[in-house]
PDB file of all heavy atoms in Angstrom:
ATOM      1  N   MET A   1    -146.387 -55.532  25.893  1.00 91.00           N
ATOM      2  CA  MET A   1    -146.398 -54.982  24.629  1.00 91.00           C
ATOM      3  C   MET A   1    -147.796 -54.724  24.176  1.00 91.00           C
ATOM      4  O   MET A   1    -148.712 -55.623  24.379  1.00 91.00           O
ATOM      5  CB  MET A   1    -145.568 -55.963  23.604  1.00 91.00           C
ATOM      6  CG  MET A   1    -145.592 -55.285  22.185  1.00 91.00           C
ATOM      7  SD  MET A   1    -144.427 -56.020  21.159  1.00 91.00           S
ATOM      8  CE  MET A   1    -145.319 -57.223  20.318  1.00 91.00           C
ATOM      9  N   LEU A   2    -148.059 -53.609  23.635  1.00 93.00           N
ATOM     10  CA  LEU A   2    -149.432 -53.263  23.147  1.00 93.00           C
ATOM     11  C   LEU A   2    -149.623 -53.931  21.747  1.00 93.00           C
ATOM     12  O   LEU A   2    -148.753 -53.986  20.938  1.00 93.00           O
ATOM     13  CB  LEU A   2    -149.676 -51.813  22.912  1.00 93.00           C
ATOM     14  CG  LEU A   2    -149.947 -50.974  24.328  1.00 93.00           C
ATOM     15  CD1 LEU A   2    -150.150 -49.688  23.950  1.00 93.00           C
ATOM     16  CD2 LEU A   2    -151.100 -51.548  25.023  1.00 93.00           C
ATOM     17  N   SER A   3    -150.844 -54.413  21.506  1.00 94.00           N
ATOM     18  CA  SER A   3    -151.231 -55.016  20.170  1.00 94.00           C
ATOM     19  C   SER A   3    -152.623 -54.606  19.873  1.00 94.00           C
ATOM     20  O   SER A   3    -153.464 -54.246  20.680  1.00 94.00           O
ATOM     21  CB  SER A   3    -151.148 -56.462  20.224  1.00 94.00           C
ATOM     22  OG  SER A   3    -151.336 -57.066  19.007  1.00 94.00           O
ATOM     23  N   THR A   4    -152.787 -54.344  18.469  1.00 96.00           N
ATOM     24  CA  THR A   4    -154.119 -53.888  17.970  1.00 96.00           C
ATOM     25  C   THR A   4    -154.790 -55.093  17.233  1.00 96.00           C
ATOM     26  O   THR A   4    -153.972 -55.710  16.383  1.00 96.00           O
ATOM     27  CB  THR A   4    -154.002 -52.671  17.152  1.00 96.00           C
ATOM     28  OG1 THR A   4    -153.409 -51.661  17.919  1.00 96.00           O
ATOM     29  CG2 THR A   4    -155.463 -52.110  16.652  1.00 96.00           C
ATOM     30  N   ILE A   5    -155.925 -55.400  17.405  1.00 96.00           N
ATOM     31  CA  ILE A   5    -156.695 -56.543  16.667  1.00 96.00           C
ATOM     32  C   ILE A   5    -157.848 -56.097  16.064  1.00 96.00           C
ATOM     33  O   ILE A   5    -158.361 -54.981  16.418  1.00 96.00           O
ATOM     34  CB  ILE A   5    -156.903 -57.761  17.625  1.00 96.00           C
ATOM     35  CG1 ILE A   5    -157.851 -57.337  18.790  1.00 96.00           C
ATOM     36  CG2 ILE A   5    -155.576 -58.364  18.188  1.00 96.00           C
ATOM     37  CD1 ILE A   5    -158.372 -58.492  19.608  1.00 96.00           C
ATOM     38  N   THR A   6    -158.351 -56.805  15.019  1.00 96.00           N
ATOM     39  CA  THR A   6    -159.593 -56.480  14.422  1.00 96.00           C
ATOM     40  C   THR A   6    -160.570 -57.521  14.849  1.00 96.00           C
ATOM     41  O   THR A   6    -160.318 -58.785  14.810  1.00 96.00           O
ATOM     42  CB  THR A   6    -159.511 -56.546  12.915  1.00 96.00           C
ATOM     43  OG1 THR A   6    -158.502 -55.648  12.437  1.00 96.00           O
ATOM     44  CG2 THR A   6    -160.786 -56.183  12.179  1.00 96.00           C
ATOM     45  N   VAL A   7    -161.628 -57.031  15.374  1.00 92.00           N
ATOM     46  CA  VAL A   7    -162.785 -58.002  15.825  1.00 92.00           C
ATOM     47  C   VAL A   7    -163.986 -57.516  14.909  1.00 92.00           C
ATOM     48  O   VAL A   7    -164.483 -56.489  14.957  1.00 92.00           O
ATOM     49  CB  VAL A   7    -163.123 -57.780  17.349  1.00 92.00           C
ATOM     50  CG1 VAL A   7    -164.130 -58.677  17.779  1.00 92.00           C
ATOM     51  CG2 VAL A   7    -161.833 -57.893  18.192  1.00 92.00           C
ATOM     52  N   GLY A   8    -164.463 -58.531  14.115  1.00 89.00           N
ATOM     53  CA  GLY A   8    -165.458 -58.278  13.129  1.00 89.00           C
ATOM     54  C   GLY A   8    -164.942 -57.482  12.012  1.00 89.00           C
ATOM     55  O   GLY A   8    -163.790 -57.452  11.680  1.00 89.00           O
ATOM     56  N   SER A   9    -165.838 -56.817  11.314  1.00 89.00           N
ATOM     57  CA  SER A   9    -165.360 -56.059  10.066  1.00 89.00           C
ATOM     58  C   SER A   9    -165.064 -54.633  10.303  1.00 89.00           C
ATOM     59  O   SER A   9    -164.208 -53.998   9.561  1.00 89.00           O
ATOM     60  CB  SER A   9    -166.444 -56.158   9.101  1.00 89.00           C
ATOM     61  OG  SER A   9    -167.649 -55.566   9.461  1.00 89.00           O
ATOM     62  N   HIS A  10    -165.427 -54.036  11.516  1.00 92.00           N
ATOM     63  CA  HIS A  10    -165.212 -52.523  11.565  1.00 92.00           C
ATOM     64  C   HIS A  10    -164.675 -52.224  13.037  1.00 92.00           C
ATOM     65  O   HIS A  10    -164.597 -50.988  13.266  1.00 92.00           O
ATOM     66  CB  HIS A  10    -166.501 -51.801  11.296  1.00 92.00           C
ATOM     67  CG  HIS A  10    -166.936 -51.882   9.918  1.00 92.00           C
ATOM     68  ND1 HIS A  10    -166.290 -51.211   8.859  1.00 92.00           N
ATOM     69  CD2 HIS A  10    -167.950 -52.631   9.304  1.00 92.00           C
ATOM     70  CE1 HIS A  10    -166.967 -51.444   7.758  1.00 92.00           C
ATOM     71  NE2 HIS A  10    -167.991 -52.366   7.997  1.00 92.00           N
ATOM     72  N   VAL A  11    -164.499 -53.139  13.749  1.00 94.00           N
ATOM     73  CA  VAL A  11    -164.003 -52.856  15.210  1.00 94.00           C
ATOM     74  C   VAL A  11    -162.587 -53.266  15.420  1.00 94.00           C
ATOM     75  O   VAL A  11    -162.242 -54.354  15.184  1.00 94.00           O
ATOM     76  CB  VAL A  11    -165.011 -53.636  16.132  1.00 94.00           C
ATOM     77  CG1 VAL A  11    -164.575 -53.334  17.609  1.00 94.00           C
ATOM     78  CG2 VAL A  11    -166.509 -53.326  16.003  1.00 94.00           C
ATOM     79  N   GLN A  12    -161.865 -52.304  16.003  1.00 96.00           N
ATOM     80  CA  GLN A  12    -160.539 -52.510  16.326  1.00 96.00           C
ATOM     81  C   GLN A  12    -160.267 -52.280  17.856  1.00 96.00           C
ATOM     82  O   GLN A  12    -160.955 -51.449  18.454  1.00 96.00           O
ATOM     83  CB  GLN A  12    -159.493 -51.664  15.654  1.00 96.00           C
ATOM     84  CG  GLN A  12    -159.551 -51.991  14.077  1.00 96.00           C
ATOM     85  CD  GLN A  12    -158.531 -51.122  13.350  1.00 96.00           C
ATOM     86  OE1 GLN A  12    -158.119 -50.102  13.720  1.00 96.00           O
ATOM     87  NE2 GLN A  12    -158.233 -51.556  12.169  1.00 96.00           N
ATOM     88  N   LEU A  13    -159.483 -53.200  18.499  1.00 97.00           N
ATOM     89  CA  LEU A  13    -159.293 -53.030  19.901  1.00 97.00           C
ATOM     90  C   LEU A  13    -157.674 -53.006  20.110  1.00 97.00           C
ATOM     91  O   LEU A  13    -157.102 -53.657  19.433  1.00 97.00           O
ATOM     92  CB  LEU A  13    -159.798 -54.179  20.735  1.00 97.00           C
ATOM     93  CG  LEU A  13    -161.402 -54.490  20.666  1.00 97.00           C
ATOM     94  CD1 LEU A  13    -161.731 -55.754  21.186  1.00 97.00           C
ATOM     95  CD2 LEU A  13    -162.165 -53.304  21.226  1.00 97.00           C
ATOM     96  N   GLN A  14    -157.234 -52.272  21.196  1.00 97.00           N
ATOM     97  CA  GLN A  14    -155.820 -52.240  21.510  1.00 97.00           C
ATOM     98  C   GLN A  14    -155.731 -52.573  22.930  1.00 97.00           C
ATOM     99  O   GLN A  14    -156.464 -51.996  23.910  1.00 97.00           O
ATOM    100  CB  GLN A  14    -155.280 -50.922  21.182  1.00 97.00           C
ATOM    101  CG  GLN A  14    -153.832 -50.764  21.384  1.00 97.00           C
ATOM    102  CD  GLN A  14    -153.275 -49.554  20.912  1.00 97.00           C
ATOM    103  OE1 GLN A  14    -153.853 -48.462  21.192  1.00 97.00           O
ATOM    104  NE2 GLN A  14    -152.212 -49.532  20.161  1.00 97.00           N
ATOM    105  N   GLY A  15    -154.818 -53.486  23.235  1.00 97.00           N
ATOM    106  CA  GLY A  15    -154.486 -53.912  24.612  1.00 97.00           C
ATOM    107  C   GLY A  15    -153.239 -54.631  24.706  1.00 97.00           C
ATOM    108  O   GLY A  15    -152.498 -54.709  23.770  1.00 97.00           O
ATOM    109  N   LEU A  16    -153.011 -55.212  25.891  1.00 97.00           N
ATOM    110  CA  LEU A  16    -151.715 -55.857  26.146  1.00 97.00           C
ATOM    111  C   LEU A  16    -151.723 -57.256  25.597  1.00 97.00           C
ATOM    112  O   LEU A  16    -152.797 -58.056  25.704  1.00 97.00           O
ATOM    113  CB  LEU A  16    -151.495 -56.062  27.686  1.00 97.00           C
ATOM    114  CG  LEU A  16    -151.326 -54.774  28.497  1.00 97.00           C
ATOM    115  CD1 LEU A  16    -151.198 -55.058  29.942  1.00 97.00           C
ATOM    116  CD2 LEU A  16    -150.016 -54.034  27.997  1.00 97.00           C
ATOM    117  N   LEU A  17    -150.640 -57.533  24.852  1.00 97.00           N
ATOM    118  CA  LEU A  17    -150.544 -58.942  24.109  1.00 97.00           C
ATOM    119  C   LEU A  17    -150.497 -59.960  25.155  1.00 97.00           C
ATOM    120  O   LEU A  17    -149.596 -59.965  26.104  1.00 97.00           O
ATOM    121  CB  LEU A  17    -149.405 -58.827  23.168  1.00 97.00           C
ATOM    122  CG  LEU A  17    -149.091 -60.096  22.462  1.00 97.00           C
ATOM    123  CD1 LEU A  17    -150.364 -60.475  21.563  1.00 97.00           C
ATOM    124  CD2 LEU A  17    -147.866 -60.068  21.708  1.00 97.00           C
ATOM    125  N   ILE A  18    -151.327 -61.000  25.291  1.00 97.00           N
ATOM    126  CA  ILE A  18    -151.255 -62.183  26.146  1.00 97.00           C
ATOM    127  C   ILE A  18    -150.546 -63.319  25.424  1.00 97.00           C
ATOM    128  O   ILE A  18    -149.579 -63.849  25.988  1.00 97.00           O
ATOM    129  CB  ILE A  18    -152.589 -62.487  26.595  1.00 97.00           C
ATOM    130  CG1 ILE A  18    -153.365 -61.298  27.255  1.00 97.00           C
ATOM    131  CG2 ILE A  18    -152.609 -63.724  27.407  1.00 97.00           C
ATOM    132  CD1 ILE A  18    -152.669 -60.929  28.521  1.00 97.00           C
ATOM    133  N   ARG A  19    -151.086 -63.650  24.224  1.00 97.00           N
ATOM    134  CA  ARG A  19    -150.488 -64.837  23.536  1.00 97.00           C
ATOM    135  C   ARG A  19    -150.893 -64.790  21.975  1.00 97.00           C
ATOM    136  O   ARG A  19    -151.843 -64.145  21.683  1.00 97.00           O
ATOM    137  CB  ARG A  19    -150.909 -66.198  24.171  1.00 97.00           C
ATOM    138  CG  ARG A  19    -152.328 -66.409  24.157  1.00 97.00           C
ATOM    139  CD  ARG A  19    -152.815 -67.708  24.880  1.00 97.00           C
ATOM    140  NE  ARG A  19    -154.095 -67.870  24.905  1.00 97.00           N
ATOM    141  CZ  ARG A  19    -154.924 -67.326  25.979  1.00 97.00           C
ATOM    142  NH1 ARG A  19    -154.324 -66.600  26.894  1.00 97.00           N
ATOM    143  NH2 ARG A  19    -156.183 -67.535  26.107  1.00 97.00           N
ATOM    144  N   THR A  20    -150.094 -65.535  21.222  1.00 97.00           N
ATOM    145  CA  THR A  20    -150.380 -65.670  19.763  1.00 97.00           C
ATOM    146  C   THR A  20    -150.825 -67.220  19.652  1.00 97.00           C
ATOM    147  O   THR A  20    -150.199 -68.013  20.172  1.00 97.00           O
ATOM    148  CB  THR A  20    -149.095 -65.394  18.954  1.00 97.00           C
ATOM    149  OG1 THR A  20    -148.681 -64.188  19.178  1.00 97.00           O
ATOM    150  CG2 THR A  20    -149.393 -65.590  17.475  1.00 97.00           C
ATOM    151  N   LEU A  21    -151.949 -67.274  18.947  1.00 97.00           N
ATOM    152  CA  LEU A  21    -152.486 -68.576  18.680  1.00 97.00           C
ATOM    153  C   LEU A  21    -152.023 -69.208  17.401  1.00 97.00           C
ATOM    154  O   LEU A  21    -151.373 -68.583  16.477  1.00 97.00           O
ATOM    155  CB  LEU A  21    -153.992 -68.523  18.615  1.00 97.00           C
ATOM    156  CG  LEU A  21    -154.759 -67.870  19.811  1.00 97.00           C
ATOM    157  CD1 LEU A  21    -156.115 -67.875  19.508  1.00 97.00           C
ATOM    158  CD2 LEU A  21    -154.428 -68.564  21.107  1.00 97.00           C
ATOM    159  N   SER A  22    -152.095 -70.671  17.319  1.00 98.00           N
ATOM    160  CA  SER A  22    -151.426 -71.266  16.215  1.00 98.00           C
ATOM    161  C   SER A  22    -152.064 -70.852  14.788  1.00 98.00           C
ATOM    162  O   SER A  22    -151.459 -71.128  13.747  1.00 98.00           O
ATOM    163  CB  SER A  22    -151.648 -72.786  16.414  1.00 98.00           C
ATOM    164  OG  SER A  22    -152.937 -73.146  16.560  1.00 98.00           O
ATOM    165  N   ASP A  23    -153.310 -70.393  14.893  1.00 97.00           N
ATOM    166  CA  ASP A  23    -154.035 -69.943  13.532  1.00 97.00           C
ATOM    167  C   ASP A  23    -153.602 -68.564  13.197  1.00 97.00           C
ATOM    168  O   ASP A  23    -154.245 -67.960  12.212  1.00 97.00           O
ATOM    169  CB  ASP A  23    -155.494 -70.189  13.653  1.00 97.00           C
ATOM    170  CG  ASP A  23    -156.151 -69.287  14.726  1.00 97.00           C
ATOM    171  OD1 ASP A  23    -155.484 -68.555  15.585  1.00 97.00           O
ATOM    172  OD2 ASP A  23    -157.369 -69.430  14.807  1.00 97.00           O
ATOM    173  N   GLY A  24    -152.718 -67.831  13.882  1.00 95.00           N
ATOM    174  CA  GLY A  24    -152.345 -66.567  13.542  1.00 95.00           C
ATOM    175  C   GLY A  24    -153.051 -65.436  14.252  1.00 95.00           C
ATOM    176  O   GLY A  24    -152.580 -64.274  14.191  1.00 95.00           O
ATOM    177  N   LYS A  25    -154.116 -65.808  14.965  1.00 96.00           N
ATOM    178  CA  LYS A  25    -154.875 -64.758  15.749  1.00 96.00           C
ATOM    179  C   LYS A  25    -154.057 -64.545  17.015  1.00 96.00           C
ATOM    180  O   LYS A  25    -153.112 -65.263  17.457  1.00 96.00           O
ATOM    181  CB  LYS A  25    -156.243 -65.229  16.086  1.00 96.00           C
ATOM    182  CG  LYS A  25    -157.088 -65.419  14.807  1.00 96.00           C
ATOM    183  CD  LYS A  25    -158.581 -65.833  15.300  1.00 96.00           C
ATOM    184  CE  LYS A  25    -159.472 -65.923  14.077  1.00 96.00           C
ATOM    185  NZ  LYS A  25    -160.788 -66.351  14.449  1.00 96.00           N
ATOM    186  N   VAL A  26    -154.356 -63.440  17.689  1.00 97.00           N
ATOM    187  CA  VAL A  26    -153.718 -63.010  19.016  1.00 97.00           C
ATOM    188  C   VAL A  26    -154.792 -62.844  20.072  1.00 97.00           C
ATOM    189  O   VAL A  26    -155.923 -62.471  19.791  1.00 97.00           O
ATOM    190  CB  VAL A  26    -152.874 -61.867  18.871  1.00 97.00           C
ATOM    191  CG1 VAL A  26    -151.549 -62.187  17.953  1.00 97.00           C
ATOM    192  CG2 VAL A  26    -153.552 -60.576  18.356  1.00 97.00           C
ATOM    193  N   VAL A  27    -154.354 -63.006  21.272  1.00 98.00           N
ATOM    194  CA  VAL A  27    -155.297 -62.603  22.400  1.00 98.00           C
ATOM    195  C   VAL A  27    -154.648 -61.467  23.171  1.00 98.00           C
ATOM    196  O   VAL A  27    -153.534 -61.439  23.504  1.00 98.00           O
ATOM    197  CB  VAL A  27    -155.400 -63.765  23.340  1.00 98.00           C
ATOM    198  CG1 VAL A  27    -156.143 -63.564  24.672  1.00 98.00           C
ATOM    199  CG2 VAL A  27    -155.979 -65.134  22.610  1.00 98.00           C
ATOM    200  N   ILE A  28    -155.446 -60.371  23.398  1.00 98.00           N
ATOM    201  CA  ILE A  28    -155.275 -59.318  24.120  1.00 98.00           C
ATOM    202  C   ILE A  28    -155.895 -59.092  25.405  1.00 98.00           C
ATOM    203  O   ILE A  28    -157.047 -59.735  25.490  1.00 98.00           O
ATOM    204  CB  ILE A  28    -155.169 -57.933  23.295  1.00 98.00           C
ATOM    205  CG1 ILE A  28    -156.670 -57.666  22.955  1.00 98.00           C
ATOM    206  CG2 ILE A  28    -154.323 -58.055  22.159  1.00 98.00           C
ATOM    207  CD1 ILE A  28    -156.820 -56.250  22.265  1.00 98.00           C
ATOM    208  N   SER A  29    -155.478 -58.365  26.229  1.00 98.00           N
ATOM    209  CA  SER A  29    -156.199 -58.145  27.624  1.00 98.00           C
ATOM    210  C   SER A  29    -156.437 -56.577  27.676  1.00 98.00           C
ATOM    211  O   SER A  29    -155.612 -55.727  27.540  1.00 98.00           O
ATOM    212  CB  SER A  29    -155.289 -58.503  28.773  1.00 98.00           C
ATOM    213  OG  SER A  29    -155.824 -58.232  29.961  1.00 98.00           O
ATOM    214  N   ILE A  30    -157.794 -56.293  28.013  1.00 97.00           N
ATOM    215  CA  ILE A  30    -158.138 -54.880  28.256  1.00 97.00           C
ATOM    216  C   ILE A  30    -158.846 -55.057  29.760  1.00 97.00           C
ATOM    217  O   ILE A  30    -159.922 -55.608  29.748  1.00 97.00           O
ATOM    218  CB  ILE A  30    -159.036 -54.337  27.183  1.00 97.00           C
ATOM    219  CG1 ILE A  30    -158.439 -54.442  25.849  1.00 97.00           C
ATOM    220  CG2 ILE A  30    -159.540 -52.957  27.601  1.00 97.00           C
ATOM    221  CD1 ILE A  30    -159.356 -53.985  24.735  1.00 97.00           C
ATOM    222  N   GLY A  31    -158.133 -54.474  30.716  1.00 96.00           N
ATOM    223  CA  GLY A  31    -158.673 -54.569  32.052  1.00 96.00           C
ATOM    224  C   GLY A  31    -158.661 -56.094  32.366  1.00 96.00           C
ATOM    225  O   GLY A  31    -157.645 -56.772  32.336  1.00 96.00           O
ATOM    226  N   GLU A  32    -159.796 -56.599  32.799  1.00 96.00           N
ATOM    227  CA  GLU A  32    -160.000 -58.055  33.311  1.00 96.00           C
ATOM    228  C   GLU A  32    -160.423 -58.993  32.076  1.00 96.00           C
ATOM    229  O   GLU A  32    -160.597 -60.051  32.412  1.00 96.00           O
ATOM    230  CB  GLU A  32    -160.889 -58.219  34.496  1.00 96.00           C
ATOM    231  CG  GLU A  32    -160.186 -57.438  35.667  1.00 96.00           C
ATOM    232  CD  GLU A  32    -161.001 -57.649  36.928  1.00 96.00           C
ATOM    233  OE1 GLU A  32    -161.929 -58.472  36.958  1.00 96.00           O
ATOM    234  OE2 GLU A  32    -160.739 -56.978  37.904  1.00 96.00           O
ATOM    235  N   LYS A  33    -160.752 -58.382  30.871  1.00 97.00           N
ATOM    236  CA  LYS A  33    -161.336 -59.107  29.859  1.00 97.00           C
ATOM    237  C   LYS A  33    -160.165 -59.439  28.838  1.00 97.00           C
ATOM    238  O   LYS A  33    -159.313 -58.594  28.619  1.00 97.00           O
ATOM    239  CB  LYS A  33    -162.393 -58.471  29.165  1.00 97.00           C
ATOM    240  CG  LYS A  33    -163.616 -58.229  30.152  1.00 97.00           C
ATOM    241  CD  LYS A  33    -164.818 -57.924  29.343  1.00 97.00           C
ATOM    242  CE  LYS A  33    -165.928 -57.728  30.266  1.00 97.00           C
ATOM    243  NZ  LYS A  33    -167.158 -58.219  29.949  1.00 97.00           N
ATOM    244  N   GLU A  34    -160.344 -60.582  28.087  1.00 97.00           N
ATOM    245  CA  GLU A  34    -159.536 -60.982  27.055  1.00 97.00           C
ATOM    246  C   GLU A  34    -160.307 -61.063  25.738  1.00 97.00           C
ATOM    247  O   GLU A  34    -161.450 -61.469  25.773  1.00 97.00           O
ATOM    248  CB  GLU A  34    -158.894 -62.377  27.403  1.00 97.00           C
ATOM    249  CG  GLU A  34    -157.848 -62.218  28.433  1.00 97.00           C
ATOM    250  CD  GLU A  34    -157.050 -63.542  28.678  1.00 97.00           C
ATOM    251  OE1 GLU A  34    -157.460 -64.571  28.081  1.00 97.00           O
ATOM    252  OE2 GLU A  34    -156.132 -63.595  29.602  1.00 97.00           O
ATOM    253  N   TYR A  35    -159.648 -60.561  24.636  1.00 97.00           N
ATOM    254  CA  TYR A  35    -160.251 -60.588  23.346  1.00 97.00           C
ATOM    255  C   TYR A  35    -159.398 -61.276  22.299  1.00 97.00           C
ATOM    256  O   TYR A  35    -158.103 -61.170  22.491  1.00 97.00           O
ATOM    257  CB  TYR A  35    -160.532 -59.198  22.928  1.00 97.00           C
ATOM    258  CG  TYR A  35    -161.548 -58.392  23.818  1.00 97.00           C
ATOM    259  CD1 TYR A  35    -160.994 -57.705  24.897  1.00 97.00           C
ATOM    260  CD2 TYR A  35    -162.841 -58.469  23.612  1.00 97.00           C
ATOM    261  CE1 TYR A  35    -161.860 -56.945  25.797  1.00 97.00           C
ATOM    262  CE2 TYR A  35    -163.752 -57.797  24.427  1.00 97.00           C
ATOM    263  CZ  TYR A  35    -163.164 -56.987  25.542  1.00 97.00           C
ATOM    264  OH  TYR A  35    -164.047 -56.343  26.338  1.00 97.00           O
ATOM    265  N   GLU A  36    -160.014 -61.975  21.481  1.00 97.00           N
ATOM    266  CA  GLU A  36    -159.138 -62.612  20.422  1.00 97.00           C
ATOM    267  C   GLU A  36    -159.574 -62.159  19.078  1.00 97.00           C
ATOM    268  O   GLU A  36    -160.804 -61.833  18.773  1.00 97.00           O
ATOM    269  CB  GLU A  36    -159.585 -64.086  20.462  1.00 97.00           C
ATOM    270  CG  GLU A  36    -159.022 -65.021  19.340  1.00 97.00           C
ATOM    271  CD  GLU A  36    -159.445 -66.470  19.401  1.00 97.00           C
ATOM    272  OE1 GLU A  36    -159.643 -66.904  20.599  1.00 97.00           O
ATOM    273  OE2 GLU A  36    -159.797 -67.038  18.397  1.00 97.00           O
ATOM    274  N   GLY A  37    -158.585 -61.942  18.119  1.00 96.00           N
ATOM    275  CA  GLY A  37    -158.866 -61.384  16.816  1.00 96.00           C
ATOM    276  C   GLY A  37    -157.566 -61.457  15.998  1.00 96.00           C
ATOM    277  O   GLY A  37    -156.484 -61.930  16.366  1.00 96.00           O
ATOM    278  N   LYS A  38    -157.908 -60.968  14.778  1.00 96.00           N
ATOM    279  CA  LYS A  38    -156.593 -60.836  13.816  1.00 96.00           C
ATOM    280  C   LYS A  38    -155.785 -59.677  14.082  1.00 96.00           C
ATOM    281  O   LYS A  38    -156.348 -58.550  14.214  1.00 96.00           O
ATOM    282  CB  LYS A  38    -157.107 -60.801  12.287  1.00 96.00           C
ATOM    283  CG  LYS A  38    -157.878 -62.117  11.986  1.00 96.00           C
ATOM    284  CD  LYS A  38    -158.220 -61.856  10.445  1.00 96.00           C
ATOM    285  CE  LYS A  38    -158.955 -63.242  10.024  1.00 96.00           C
ATOM    286  NZ  LYS A  38    -159.333 -63.086   8.609  1.00 96.00           N
ATOM    287  N   PRO A  39    -154.356 -59.847  14.115  1.00 96.00           N
ATOM    288  CA  PRO A  39    -153.586 -58.581  14.461  1.00 96.00           C
ATOM    289  C   PRO A  39    -153.714 -57.584  13.140  1.00 96.00           C
ATOM    290  O   PRO A  39    -153.783 -58.037  12.127  1.00 96.00           O
ATOM    291  CB  PRO A  39    -152.232 -59.310  14.506  1.00 96.00           C
ATOM    292  CG  PRO A  39    -152.274 -60.506  13.946  1.00 96.00           C
ATOM    293  CD  PRO A  39    -153.792 -61.092  14.030  1.00 96.00           C
ATOM    294  N   VAL A  40    -153.498 -56.406  13.556  1.00 94.00           N
ATOM    295  CA  VAL A  40    -153.499 -55.250  12.536  1.00 94.00           C
ATOM    296  C   VAL A  40    -152.045 -55.199  12.019  1.00 94.00           C
ATOM    297  O   VAL A  40    -151.139 -55.070  12.905  1.00 94.00           O
ATOM    298  CB  VAL A  40    -153.963 -54.019  13.081  1.00 94.00           C
ATOM    299  CG1 VAL A  40    -153.777 -52.913  12.153  1.00 94.00           C
ATOM    300  CG2 VAL A  40    -155.563 -53.990  13.481  1.00 94.00           C
ATOM    301  N   THR A  41    -151.835 -55.159  10.751  1.00 87.00           N
ATOM    302  CA  THR A  41    -150.503 -55.020  10.141  1.00 87.00           C
ATOM    303  C   THR A  41    -150.000 -53.774  10.293  1.00 87.00           C
ATOM    304  O   THR A  41    -150.638 -52.837   9.806  1.00 87.00           O
ATOM    305  CB  THR A  41    -150.562 -55.562   8.676  1.00 87.00           C
ATOM    306  OG1 THR A  41    -151.142 -56.854   8.581  1.00 87.00           O
ATOM    307  CG2 THR A  41    -149.203 -55.650   8.127  1.00 87.00           C
ATOM    308  N   ARG A  42    -148.806 -53.573  10.657  1.00 80.00           N
ATOM    309  CA  ARG A  42    -148.082 -52.274  10.833  1.00 80.00           C
ATOM    310  C   ARG A  42    -147.634 -51.873   9.469  1.00 80.00           C
ATOM    311  O   ARG A  42    -147.198 -52.695   8.649  1.00 80.00           O
ATOM    312  CB  ARG A  42    -146.857 -52.429  11.638  1.00 80.00           C
ATOM    313  CG  ARG A  42    -147.146 -52.295  13.031  1.00 80.00           C
ATOM    314  CD  ARG A  42    -145.702 -52.248  13.744  1.00 80.00           C
ATOM    315  NE  ARG A  42    -145.885 -52.154  15.232  1.00 80.00           N
ATOM    316  CZ  ARG A  42    -144.933 -52.111  16.132  1.00 80.00           C
ATOM    317  NH1 ARG A  42    -143.738 -52.225  15.728  1.00 80.00           N
ATOM    318  NH2 ARG A  42    -145.272 -52.114  17.309  1.00 80.00           N
ATOM    319  N   LEU A  43    -147.735 -50.568   9.182  1.00 84.00           N
ATOM    320  CA  LEU A  43    -147.175 -49.904   7.998  1.00 84.00           C
ATOM    321  C   LEU A  43    -145.689 -49.542   8.269  1.00 84.00           C
ATOM    322  O   LEU A  43    -145.377 -49.036   9.332  1.00 84.00           O
ATOM    323  CB  LEU A  43    -148.015 -48.691   7.662  1.00 84.00           C
ATOM    324  CG  LEU A  43    -149.432 -48.998   7.212  1.00 84.00           C
ATOM    325  CD1 LEU A  43    -150.094 -47.567   6.912  1.00 84.00           C
ATOM    326  CD2 LEU A  43    -149.512 -49.881   5.960  1.00 84.00           C
ATOM    327  N   SER A  44    -144.833 -49.783   7.349  1.00 77.00           N
ATOM    328  CA  SER A  44    -143.398 -49.487   7.443  1.00 77.00           C
ATOM    329  C   SER A  44    -143.106 -48.125   7.007  1.00 77.00           C
ATOM    330  O   SER A  44    -143.574 -47.668   6.037  1.00 77.00           O
ATOM    331  CB  SER A  44    -142.561 -50.528   6.861  1.00 77.00           C
ATOM    332  OG  SER A  44    -142.817 -51.727   7.480  1.00 77.00           O
TER     333      SER A  44
END
């Protein structure tokens, strides 16, 4: 499943969801690298 996260104040990344952390952040994978950040909320 794809997930979008915010890293810093102006950078967003999108990649494959790897895991959700206990503090609400998520880890995504882009290629061979993993990134951690706050998930972007979907608009309904």
Side-chain angles (χ1 to χ4, degrees):
M1 178 163 100
L2 284 177
S3 183
T4 304
I5 62 171
T6 300
V7 181
S9 58
H10 298 286
V11 178
Q12 294 181 341
L13 301 173
Q14 187 172 46
L16 294 175
L17 178 64
I18 302 298
R19 64 184 168 275
T20 302
L21 305 176
S22 61
D23 62 358
K25 292 182 180 179
V26 296
V27 177
I28 63 167
S29 173
I30 303 174
E32 295 183 11
K33 297 196 178 221
E34 291 186 352
Y35 299 90
E36 176 183 323
K38 292 183 179 182
V40 174
T41 306
R42 278 187 179 177
L43 295 177
S44 298

